[in-house]
Amino acid sequence: MGNGLMSNRDRRECPAALRAAIRYEVKGNAAMKVLVINCGSSSLKFQLIDSGSEQCLAKGLCERIGIEGSMITYAPEGGDKEKTVTPMPDHTEAIRLVLEALTNPATGVVKSLEEIGAVGHRVVHGGEKFAESVVIDDGVLAAVEECNDLAPLHNPANLIGINACKKLMPNTPMVGVFDTAFHQTMPEEAYMYGLPYEYYQKYKIRRYGFHGTSHSYVSAKAAEVLGKKYEDLKIIVCHLGNGASVSAVKNGKCVDTSMGLTPLEGLIMGTRSGDIDPAIIEFLAHKEDRSIDEIMSVLNKKSGVLGLSGNLSSDFRDLEDGYNRGDANAVRALNTYCYRVAKYVGSYVAAMNGVDVICFTAGIGENAPLVRNFVCGYLGYLGVELDQEANHKRGEDIVITTPDSRTTVMVIPTNEELAIARETVRLVG
Protein backbone atom coordinates (compact mmCIF):
# COMPACT_ATOMS: atom_id res chain seq x y z
CA MET A 1 0.00 0.00 0.00
CA GLY A 2 3.00 2.28 -0.19
CA ASN A 3 1.63 4.08 -3.25
CA GLY A 4 -1.54 5.14 -1.47
CA LEU A 5 -3.89 2.86 -3.41
CA MET A 6 -6.57 0.80 -1.71
CA SER A 7 -9.18 -1.63 -2.96
CA ASN A 8 -12.89 -0.97 -2.37
CA ARG A 9 -12.90 -3.76 0.20
CA ASP A 10 -9.93 -2.18 1.99
CA ARG A 11 -11.79 1.14 2.16
CA ARG A 12 -14.91 -0.44 3.63
CA GLU A 13 -13.15 -2.55 6.24
CA CYS A 14 -10.33 -0.25 7.32
CA PRO A 15 -11.24 2.64 9.70
CA ALA A 16 -10.40 6.11 8.41
CA ALA A 17 -7.82 6.82 11.09
CA LEU A 18 -6.03 3.55 10.40
CA ARG A 19 -6.15 4.17 6.65
CA ALA A 20 -4.42 7.49 7.18
CA ALA A 21 -1.76 5.89 9.34
CA ILE A 22 -1.16 3.15 6.77
CA ARG A 23 -1.07 5.38 3.70
CA TYR A 24 0.51 8.57 4.85
CA GLU A 25 3.29 9.73 7.05
CA VAL A 26 1.53 12.59 8.82
CA LYS A 27 3.94 14.86 10.61
CA GLY A 28 1.80 17.05 12.83
CA ASN A 29 0.11 19.66 10.62
CA ALA A 30 2.67 22.42 11.16
CA ALA A 31 1.81 25.76 9.55
CA MET A 32 3.37 26.24 6.12
CA LYS A 33 2.94 28.11 2.88
CA VAL A 34 1.11 25.90 0.37
CA LEU A 35 1.05 26.53 -3.37
CA VAL A 36 -2.24 25.32 -4.85
CA ILE A 37 -2.21 24.52 -8.57
CA ASN A 38 -5.26 23.93 -10.77
CA CYS A 39 -3.96 23.05 -14.21
CA GLY A 40 -6.08 22.99 -17.37
CA SER A 41 -5.10 22.13 -20.93
CA SER A 42 -4.17 25.74 -21.76
CA SER A 43 -4.55 27.50 -18.41
CA LEU A 44 -3.23 27.35 -14.87
CA LYS A 45 -4.83 28.88 -11.77
CA PHE A 46 -2.76 29.24 -8.61
CA GLN A 47 -2.92 30.47 -5.02
CA LEU A 48 -0.31 30.65 -2.30
CA ILE A 49 -1.96 30.06 1.08
CA ASP A 50 -0.54 30.43 4.59
CA SER A 51 -1.98 27.37 6.31
CA GLY A 52 -1.60 28.91 9.75
CA SER A 53 -3.83 31.92 9.13
CA GLU A 54 -5.52 30.32 6.07
CA GLN A 55 -4.91 33.63 4.31
CA CYS A 56 -4.38 33.79 0.55
CA LEU A 57 -1.01 35.50 0.12
CA ALA A 58 -1.18 35.71 -3.66
CA LYS A 59 -3.18 34.32 -6.54
CA GLY A 60 -3.26 34.41 -10.29
CA LEU A 61 -3.92 32.83 -13.64
CA CYS A 62 -1.82 31.77 -16.62
CA GLU A 63 -3.86 31.82 -19.83
CA ARG A 64 -3.36 30.62 -23.42
CA ILE A 65 -0.48 28.30 -22.56
CA GLY A 66 1.01 27.04 -25.81
CA ILE A 67 -1.04 29.61 -27.76
CA GLU A 68 -0.06 33.00 -29.13
CA GLY A 69 -0.90 35.86 -26.76
CA SER A 70 -0.31 33.93 -23.53
CA MET A 71 -0.59 36.01 -20.37
CA ILE A 72 -0.05 35.74 -16.62
CA THR A 73 -2.22 37.63 -14.14
CA TYR A 74 -0.74 37.96 -10.65
CA ALA A 75 -2.24 39.60 -7.56
CA PRO A 76 -0.47 39.68 -4.17
CA GLU A 77 -2.75 40.10 -1.16
CA GLY A 78 -3.39 43.80 -0.66
CA GLY A 79 -1.53 44.71 -3.86
CA ASP A 80 -2.47 45.65 -7.39
CA LYS A 81 -3.30 43.07 -10.03
CA GLU A 82 -0.55 42.70 -12.64
CA LYS A 83 -1.09 41.39 -16.16
CA THR A 84 1.89 40.43 -18.28
CA VAL A 85 1.75 39.16 -21.86
CA THR A 86 4.67 36.77 -22.28
CA PRO A 87 5.39 33.59 -24.23
CA MET A 88 4.36 30.37 -22.48
CA PRO A 89 5.14 27.52 -24.85
CA ASP A 90 4.36 24.89 -22.21
CA HIS A 91 3.25 24.36 -18.61
CA THR A 92 6.81 24.17 -17.33
CA GLU A 93 7.33 27.75 -18.47
CA ALA A 94 3.99 28.76 -16.92
CA ILE A 95 5.02 27.25 -13.56
CA ARG A 96 8.40 28.99 -13.85
CA LEU A 97 6.65 32.32 -14.34
CA VAL A 98 4.38 31.67 -11.36
CA LEU A 99 7.36 30.94 -9.12
CA GLU A 100 9.16 33.98 -10.49
CA ALA A 101 6.18 36.18 -9.65
CA LEU A 102 5.91 34.77 -6.13
CA THR A 103 9.61 35.46 -5.44
CA ASN A 104 9.83 38.81 -7.28
CA PRO A 105 11.74 41.23 -4.96
CA ALA A 106 9.25 44.04 -5.65
CA THR A 107 5.84 42.34 -5.59
CA GLY A 108 6.53 38.76 -4.51
CA VAL A 109 5.29 37.33 -1.21
CA VAL A 110 8.17 34.93 -0.44
CA LYS A 111 11.90 35.54 -0.51
CA SER A 112 12.74 32.12 -1.92
CA LEU A 113 11.11 28.86 -2.96
CA GLU A 114 12.39 27.33 0.28
CA GLU A 115 9.48 29.10 2.00
CA ILE A 116 6.96 27.03 0.03
CA GLY A 117 6.45 23.90 2.10
CA ALA A 118 4.29 21.89 -0.29
CA VAL A 119 2.25 22.00 -3.48
CA GLY A 120 -1.36 20.83 -3.65
CA HIS A 121 -2.62 19.82 -7.09
CA ARG A 122 -6.22 19.53 -8.18
CA VAL A 123 -6.65 16.28 -10.11
CA VAL A 124 -10.00 15.84 -11.81
CA HIS A 125 -10.38 12.06 -12.08
CA GLY A 126 -9.09 9.42 -9.70
CA GLY A 127 -11.45 6.66 -10.83
CA GLU A 128 -11.87 4.00 -8.16
CA LYS A 129 -8.19 4.18 -7.34
CA PHE A 130 -8.33 7.14 -4.97
CA ALA A 131 -10.89 7.59 -2.21
CA GLU A 132 -8.81 10.28 -0.51
CA SER A 133 -6.08 12.79 -1.26
CA VAL A 134 -2.61 11.31 -1.56
CA VAL A 135 1.06 12.26 -1.49
CA ILE A 136 2.26 12.07 -5.09
CA ASP A 137 4.94 9.59 -6.05
CA ASP A 138 5.71 7.67 -9.24
CA GLY A 139 3.09 5.03 -8.45
CA VAL A 140 0.41 7.67 -7.98
CA LEU A 141 1.36 9.37 -11.27
CA ALA A 142 1.05 6.06 -13.08
CA ALA A 143 -2.36 5.41 -11.50
CA VAL A 144 -3.62 8.89 -12.46
CA GLU A 145 -2.43 8.31 -16.02
CA GLU A 146 -4.48 5.11 -16.12
CA CYS A 147 -7.57 7.29 -15.52
CA ASN A 148 -6.85 9.49 -18.57
CA ASP A 149 -9.50 7.72 -20.64
CA LEU A 150 -12.11 8.78 -18.07
CA ALA A 151 -11.11 12.47 -18.25
CA PRO A 152 -9.18 12.98 -21.50
CA LEU A 153 -9.49 16.79 -21.37
CA HIS A 154 -8.46 17.17 -17.73
CA ASN A 155 -6.19 14.44 -16.35
CA PRO A 156 -3.40 14.83 -18.93
CA ALA A 157 -3.29 18.56 -18.17
CA ASN A 158 -3.23 17.85 -14.42
CA LEU A 159 -0.28 15.49 -14.95
CA ILE A 160 1.56 18.08 -17.02
CA GLY A 161 1.21 20.56 -14.16
CA ILE A 162 2.42 18.06 -11.59
CA ASN A 163 5.45 17.09 -13.66
CA ALA A 164 6.28 20.75 -14.35
CA CYS A 165 6.26 21.47 -10.60
CA LYS A 166 8.35 18.38 -9.87
CA LYS A 167 10.92 19.53 -12.40
CA LEU A 168 11.22 23.02 -10.93
CA MET A 169 10.68 22.09 -7.25
CA PRO A 170 12.16 18.57 -7.01
CA ASN A 171 12.50 18.57 -3.23
CA THR A 172 9.06 19.98 -2.41
CA PRO A 173 6.35 17.43 -1.46
CA MET A 174 3.34 17.30 -3.77
CA VAL A 175 -0.21 16.21 -2.93
CA GLY A 176 -2.99 15.20 -5.32
CA VAL A 177 -6.54 16.19 -4.34
CA PHE A 178 -9.15 14.47 -6.49
CA ASP A 179 -12.49 15.88 -7.68
CA THR A 180 -13.90 12.35 -7.56
CA ALA A 181 -12.58 11.23 -4.15
CA PHE A 182 -15.39 12.60 -1.93
CA HIS A 183 -17.96 10.68 -3.98
CA GLN A 184 -16.26 7.30 -3.52
CA THR A 185 -18.50 6.62 -0.50
CA MET A 186 -21.55 6.26 -2.76
CA PRO A 187 -23.24 2.86 -2.44
CA GLU A 188 -23.32 0.56 -5.43
CA GLU A 189 -26.97 1.26 -6.20
CA ALA A 190 -26.15 4.96 -6.58
CA TYR A 191 -23.13 4.63 -8.85
CA MET A 192 -24.07 1.76 -11.16
CA TYR A 193 -25.69 2.34 -14.56
CA GLY A 194 -28.30 0.09 -16.16
CA LEU A 195 -25.78 -1.34 -18.62
CA PRO A 196 -24.38 -4.85 -19.01
CA TYR A 197 -22.27 -5.44 -15.91
CA GLU A 198 -19.35 -6.51 -18.06
CA TYR A 199 -18.83 -2.87 -19.09
CA TYR A 200 -18.26 -1.96 -15.49
CA GLN A 201 -15.90 -4.89 -15.08
CA LYS A 202 -13.96 -4.14 -18.26
CA TYR A 203 -13.99 -0.34 -18.43
CA LYS A 204 -15.13 0.83 -14.95
CA ILE A 205 -18.14 2.61 -16.46
CA ARG A 206 -20.04 3.99 -13.47
CA ARG A 207 -21.01 7.25 -11.80
CA TYR A 208 -17.98 9.03 -10.33
CA GLY A 209 -19.11 12.61 -9.76
CA PHE A 210 -17.03 15.77 -9.71
CA HIS A 211 -16.63 19.02 -7.72
CA GLY A 212 -15.97 16.72 -4.77
CA THR A 213 -13.60 19.15 -3.04
CA SER A 214 -16.30 21.83 -3.14
CA HIS A 215 -19.08 19.49 -1.97
CA SER A 216 -16.93 18.28 0.92
CA TYR A 217 -15.90 21.79 1.99
CA VAL A 218 -19.38 23.32 1.74
CA SER A 219 -21.25 20.52 3.51
CA ALA A 220 -18.78 20.49 6.41
CA LYS A 221 -18.79 24.30 6.59
CA ALA A 222 -22.59 24.35 6.77
CA ALA A 223 -22.54 22.10 9.84
CA GLU A 224 -19.86 24.31 11.41
CA VAL A 225 -21.85 27.51 10.79
CA LEU A 226 -24.99 25.93 12.26
CA GLY A 227 -23.10 24.60 15.28
CA LYS A 228 -24.25 21.04 14.57
CA LYS A 229 -22.43 17.75 14.19
CA TYR A 230 -21.58 17.01 10.56
CA GLU A 231 -22.18 13.32 11.18
CA ASP A 232 -25.78 13.98 12.31
CA LEU A 233 -27.00 15.93 9.27
CA LYS A 234 -28.56 15.22 5.90
CA ILE A 235 -27.24 17.91 3.55
CA ILE A 236 -27.86 18.65 -0.12
CA VAL A 237 -25.20 20.80 -1.81
CA CYS A 238 -26.05 22.65 -5.04
CA HIS A 239 -22.73 23.62 -6.67
CA LEU A 240 -24.02 25.92 -9.39
CA GLY A 241 -21.40 27.39 -11.67
CA ASN A 242 -20.72 27.14 -15.40
CA GLY A 243 -20.30 23.47 -14.52
CA ALA A 244 -22.93 22.42 -12.00
CA SER A 245 -23.68 19.45 -9.78
CA VAL A 246 -25.79 18.45 -6.79
CA SER A 247 -24.75 16.02 -4.06
CA ALA A 248 -26.47 14.24 -1.21
CA VAL A 249 -24.33 14.11 1.95
CA LYS A 250 -25.70 11.89 4.70
CA ASN A 251 -23.95 11.76 8.07
CA GLY A 252 -20.76 13.25 6.60
CA LYS A 253 -20.56 10.94 3.58
CA CYS A 254 -21.61 11.45 -0.04
CA VAL A 255 -24.37 8.99 -0.97
CA ASP A 256 -25.21 10.34 -4.43
CA THR A 257 -24.22 13.05 -6.90
CA SER A 258 -25.53 14.29 -10.23
CA MET A 259 -22.45 14.17 -12.49
CA GLY A 260 -21.55 10.75 -13.77
CA LEU A 261 -18.77 9.02 -15.68
CA THR A 262 -18.00 12.49 -17.02
CA PRO A 263 -19.07 16.03 -16.05
CA LEU A 264 -21.70 15.99 -18.82
CA GLU A 265 -24.40 14.17 -16.86
CA GLY A 266 -26.85 15.76 -14.45
CA LEU A 267 -27.93 19.39 -14.31
CA ILE A 268 -28.30 21.70 -17.27
CA MET A 269 -25.13 23.82 -17.18
CA GLY A 270 -23.58 26.80 -18.93
CA THR A 271 -22.86 24.98 -22.20
CA ARG A 272 -23.45 21.32 -21.24
CA SER A 273 -26.75 19.59 -21.86
CA GLY A 274 -26.92 17.57 -18.66
CA ASP A 275 -29.31 14.60 -18.69
CA ILE A 276 -30.80 13.71 -22.09
CA ASP A 277 -32.31 10.63 -23.70
CA PRO A 278 -29.19 8.80 -25.00
CA ALA A 279 -31.02 8.01 -28.25
CA ILE A 280 -30.86 11.73 -29.09
CA ILE A 281 -27.19 11.28 -29.96
CA GLU A 282 -27.95 8.75 -32.70
CA PHE A 283 -31.00 10.70 -33.85
CA LEU A 284 -29.03 13.95 -34.30
CA ALA A 285 -26.06 12.18 -35.88
CA HIS A 286 -28.38 10.88 -38.64
CA LYS A 287 -30.46 14.04 -39.03
CA GLU A 288 -27.49 16.42 -39.08
CA ASP A 289 -25.11 14.01 -40.84
CA ARG A 290 -22.54 14.42 -38.05
CA SER A 291 -20.15 12.08 -36.28
CA ILE A 292 -20.49 10.99 -32.66
CA ASP A 293 -17.56 13.26 -31.80
CA GLU A 294 -19.31 16.24 -33.40
CA ILE A 295 -22.55 15.58 -31.52
CA MET A 296 -20.64 15.22 -28.26
CA SER A 297 -19.04 18.58 -28.94
CA VAL A 298 -22.54 20.07 -29.31
CA LEU A 299 -23.62 18.52 -26.01
CA ASN A 300 -20.55 19.82 -24.19
CA LYS A 301 -19.98 23.23 -25.77
CA LYS A 302 -23.18 24.46 -27.46
CA SER A 303 -25.96 23.22 -25.22
CA GLY A 304 -27.06 24.05 -21.65
CA VAL A 305 -28.44 27.54 -21.04
CA LEU A 306 -26.40 28.81 -24.00
CA GLY A 307 -28.31 26.54 -26.37
CA LEU A 308 -31.66 26.92 -24.59
CA SER A 309 -31.40 30.71 -24.76
CA GLY A 310 -30.88 30.65 -28.52
CA ASN A 311 -27.19 31.46 -28.02
CA LEU A 312 -28.06 34.56 -26.00
CA SER A 313 -25.45 33.73 -23.35
CA SER A 314 -24.08 31.11 -20.98
CA ASP A 315 -23.48 33.89 -18.41
CA PHE A 316 -26.26 34.03 -15.83
CA ARG A 317 -25.83 37.78 -15.41
CA ASP A 318 -26.86 38.21 -19.05
CA LEU A 319 -29.69 35.73 -18.63
CA GLU A 320 -30.98 37.49 -15.53
CA ASP A 321 -30.91 40.82 -17.37
CA GLY A 322 -32.80 39.19 -20.22
CA TYR A 323 -35.31 37.65 -17.82
CA ASN A 324 -36.00 41.05 -16.26
CA ARG A 325 -36.55 42.48 -19.76
CA GLY A 326 -38.99 39.70 -20.52
CA ASP A 327 -36.76 38.12 -23.18
CA ALA A 328 -38.45 34.80 -24.01
CA ASN A 329 -35.15 33.02 -24.63
CA ALA A 330 -33.74 34.04 -21.24
CA VAL A 331 -37.02 33.12 -19.49
CA ARG A 332 -36.98 29.67 -21.11
CA ALA A 333 -33.35 29.02 -20.18
CA LEU A 334 -33.69 30.14 -16.55
CA ASN A 335 -36.98 28.33 -15.93
CA THR A 336 -35.68 25.07 -17.37
CA TYR A 337 -32.39 25.35 -15.46
CA CYS A 338 -34.05 25.97 -12.10
CA TYR A 339 -36.61 23.22 -12.65
CA ARG A 340 -33.81 20.70 -13.20
CA VAL A 341 -32.02 21.79 -10.00
CA ALA A 342 -35.25 21.44 -8.02
CA LYS A 343 -35.85 17.95 -9.46
CA TYR A 344 -32.43 16.79 -8.30
CA VAL A 345 -32.95 18.27 -4.85
CA GLY A 346 -36.22 16.36 -4.60
CA SER A 347 -34.63 13.10 -5.71
CA TYR A 348 -31.92 13.44 -3.07
CA VAL A 349 -34.48 14.12 -0.36
CA ALA A 350 -35.88 10.72 -1.33
CA ALA A 351 -32.42 9.10 -1.43
CA MET A 352 -31.68 10.23 2.13
CA ASN A 353 -35.26 9.90 3.39
CA GLY A 354 -35.26 13.55 4.38
CA VAL A 355 -33.04 16.61 4.45
CA ASP A 356 -31.90 19.04 7.15
CA VAL A 357 -29.90 21.59 5.14
CA ILE A 358 -29.77 22.70 1.50
CA CYS A 359 -26.69 24.69 0.47
CA PHE A 360 -26.12 26.86 -2.59
CA THR A 361 -22.53 27.52 -3.65
CA ALA A 362 -20.21 28.43 -6.57
CA GLY A 363 -20.57 31.36 -8.96
CA ILE A 364 -24.31 31.11 -9.64
CA GLY A 365 -25.29 29.50 -6.35
CA GLU A 366 -23.57 32.29 -4.42
CA ASN A 367 -24.48 35.26 -6.61
CA ALA A 368 -27.87 34.66 -8.23
CA PRO A 369 -30.73 35.38 -5.79
CA LEU A 370 -33.20 34.91 -8.64
CA VAL A 371 -32.04 31.32 -9.22
CA ARG A 372 -32.19 30.50 -5.51
CA ASN A 373 -35.66 32.03 -5.32
CA PHE A 374 -36.92 29.99 -8.27
CA VAL A 375 -35.45 26.71 -7.01
CA CYS A 376 -36.78 27.20 -3.50
CA GLY A 377 -40.18 27.99 -4.98
CA TYR A 378 -40.47 24.27 -5.76
CA LEU A 379 -39.62 23.24 -2.19
CA GLY A 380 -42.79 24.15 -0.35
CA TYR A 381 -43.29 20.49 0.55
CA LEU A 382 -40.12 20.78 2.66
CA GLY A 383 -41.50 23.80 4.50
CA VAL A 384 -38.90 26.11 2.93
CA GLU A 385 -39.64 29.79 3.61
CA LEU A 386 -37.08 32.21 2.17
CA ASP A 387 -35.98 35.35 3.96
CA GLN A 388 -35.83 37.61 0.90
CA GLU A 389 -33.56 40.18 2.54
CA ALA A 390 -31.03 37.50 3.49
CA ASN A 391 -31.35 35.92 0.03
CA HIS A 392 -29.99 39.10 -1.57
CA LYS A 393 -26.79 39.20 0.49
CA ARG A 394 -23.53 38.06 -1.10
CA GLY A 395 -20.10 36.80 -0.12
CA GLU A 396 -20.84 35.38 3.31
CA ASP A 397 -21.95 32.19 5.02
CA ILE A 398 -25.61 32.86 5.65
CA VAL A 399 -28.96 31.18 6.35
CA ILE A 400 -31.48 32.49 3.82
CA THR A 401 -34.61 30.91 5.29
CA THR A 402 -36.79 32.29 8.06
CA PRO A 403 -36.65 30.88 11.61
CA ASP A 404 -40.01 29.18 10.93
CA SER A 405 -38.73 27.28 7.89
CA ARG A 406 -38.78 23.51 8.49
CA THR A 407 -35.73 23.03 6.27
CA THR A 408 -32.68 25.29 6.51
CA VAL A 409 -31.39 26.77 3.25
CA MET A 410 -27.95 28.38 3.23
CA VAL A 411 -25.47 30.13 0.96
CA ILE A 412 -21.92 28.92 1.65
CA PRO A 413 -19.18 30.42 -0.57
CA THR A 414 -16.96 27.58 -1.70
CA ASN A 415 -13.20 27.67 -1.29
CA GLU A 416 -11.71 24.74 -3.15
CA GLU A 417 -8.19 26.18 -2.98
CA LEU A 418 -8.34 26.36 0.82
CA ALA A 419 -9.72 22.82 0.95
CA ILE A 420 -6.80 21.62 -1.21
CA ALA A 421 -4.33 23.46 1.03
CA ARG A 422 -5.86 21.85 4.14
CA GLU A 423 -5.57 18.40 2.60
CA THR A 424 -1.98 19.09 1.63
CA VAL A 425 -1.03 20.15 5.16
CA ARG A 426 -2.87 17.16 6.62
CA LEU A 427 -0.68 14.81 4.62
CA VAL A 428 2.74 16.48 4.68
CA GLY A 429 2.59 19.11 7.44
Side-chain angles (χ1 to χ4, degrees):
M1 297 184 190
N3 60 1
L5 308 184
M6 299 187 76
S7 68
N8 287 337
R9 180 178 178 184
D10 289 334
R11 283 194 284 270
R12 289 194 300 269
E13 296 180 354
C14 187
L18 181 56
R19 288 203 304 268
I22 291 172
R23 297 174 65 215
Y24 310 120
E25 193 177 332
V26 182
K27 300 176 183 177
N29 294 356
M32 65 170 66
K33 294 180 177 69
V34 179
L35 178 59
V36 176
I37 297 289
N38 182 351
C39 207
S41 57
S42 62
S43 65
L44 186 157
K45 292 192 291 186
F46 65 94
Q47 284 193 19
L48 185 68
I49 295 174
D50 184 314
S51 69
S53 64
E54 297 198 330
Q55 177 186 8
C56 176
L57 303 176
K59 61 183 177 181
L61 171 68
C62 297
E63 301 174 85
R64 300 179 62 82
I65 299 170
I67 304 170
E68 187 176 349
S70 51
M71 176 174 64
I72 179 171
T73 302
Y74 171 74
E77 179 63 24
D80 295 331
K81 183 183 292 186
E82 305 170 358
K83 292 187 176 183
T84 306
V85 177
T86 183
M88 276 182 254
D90 53 36
H91 288 73
T92 300
E93 179 63 13
I95 295 288
R96 190 191 68 77
L97 290 168
V98 168
L99 300 179
E100 187 177 275
L102 293 171
T103 56
N104 184 296
T107 57
V109 292
V110 292
K111 292 180 180 179
S112 76
L113 297 182
E114 298 298 319
E115 293 185 42
I116 299 176
V119 182
H121 293 270
R122 178 197 180 210
V123 182
V124 168
H125 216 308
E128 291 186 333
K129 301 175 184 296
F130 300 99
E132 295 179 273
S133 306
V134 61
V135 176
I136 295 170
D137 60 18
D138 290 343
V140 168
L141 289 174
V144 171
E145 189 171 2
E146 289 175 8
C147 298
N148 281 1
D149 285 349
L150 298 174
L153 298 179
H154 298 90
N155 270 33
N158 299 153
L159 286 168
I160 289 169
I162 293 169
N163 285 318
C165 277
K166 285 171 64 69
K167 180 177 180 180
L168 294 168
M169 307 171 73
N171 299 317
T172 304
M174 311 269 167
V175 169
V177 181
F178 298 87
D179 276 13
T180 51
F182 181 62
H183 305 304
Q184 281 293 299
T185 53
M186 285 189 291
E188 185 178 55
E189 60 269 23
Y191 68 71
M192 289 301 299
Y193 290 118
L195 296 170
Y197 188 64
E198 65 182 285
Y199 296 145
Y200 169 72
Q201 292 174 306
K202 290 164 65 174
Y203 309 118
K204 297 302 178 186
I205 295 176
R206 50 159 286 181
R207 179 181 309 282
Y208 288 100
F210 300 88
H211 299 136
T213 306
S214 177
H215 286 288
S216 175
Y217 174 87
V218 169
S219 56
K221 185 68 173 181
E224 177 188 327
V225 170
L226 294 172
K228 297 183 178 181
K229 291 184 177 180
Y230 188 38
E231 296 78 11
D232 293 341
L233 294 174
K234 297 175 181 177
I235 302 172
I236 294 174
V237 177
C238 302
H239 177 109
L240 308 181
N242 190 53
S245 60
V246 182
S247 68
V249 184
K250 183 177 182 180
N251 308 131
K253 295 182 178 180
C254 178
V255 295
D256 208 342
T257 191
S258 58
M259 283 181 168
L261 175 73
T262 76
L264 182 58
E265 187 181 2
L267 300 178
I268 293 167
M269 305 176 216
T271 63
R272 297 176 194 149
S273 66
D275 295 340
I276 63 167
D277 180 345
I280 291 172
I281 297 172
E282 180 188 31
F283 182 88
L284 283 177
H286 290 318
K287 289 290 186 182
E288 296 285 317
D289 191 24
R290 295 192 181 188
S291 68
I292 295 295
D293 287 346
E294 288 173 320
I295 297 301
M296 293 305 297
S297 180
V298 171
L299 298 182
N300 274 291
K301 299 177 180 179
K302 298 180 181 179
S303 300
V305 293
L306 175 66
L308 277 169
S309 68
N311 293 322
L312 173 64
S313 182
S314 62
D315 189 314
F316 275 70
R317 291 168 294 190
D318 297 333
L319 294 175
E320 188 168 338
D321 287 344
Y323 182 90
N324 292 330
R325 294 194 311 269
D327 184 297
N329 288 321
V331 171
R332 178 194 314 115
L334 277 174
N335 284 343
T336 310
Y337 177 90
C338 294
Y339 178 73
R340 180 70 62 85
V341 175
K343 278 179 64 177
Y344 262 98
V345 169
S347 69
Y348 289 164
V349 173
M352 297 191 293
N353 194 21
V355 64
D356 300 304
V357 184
I358 299 168
C359 299
F360 289 92
T361 193
I364 298 160
E366 296 168 26
N367 297 297
L370 184 67
V371 169
R372 296 194 296 265
N373 196 40
F374 283 1
V375 172
C376 290
Y378 287 100
L379 307 181
Y381 66 98
L382 297 175
V384 169
E385 296 182 28
L386 276 190
D387 178 333
Q388 292 298 341
E389 182 179 350
N391 187 40
H392 280 79
K393 293 184 179 180
R394 297 171 187 252
E396 57 183 299
D397 304 320
I398 189 170
V399 174
I400 61 171
T401 40
T402 67
D404 296 331
S405 183
R406 292 205 316 268
T407 302
T408 300
V409 180
M410 306 179 72
V411 176
I412 302 288
T414 192
N415 194 333
E416 293 174 271
E417 289 79 13
L418 178 57
I420 291 171
R422 286 175 175 174
E423 283 290 278
T424 301
V425 173
R426 180 177 73 83
L427 298 183
V428 304

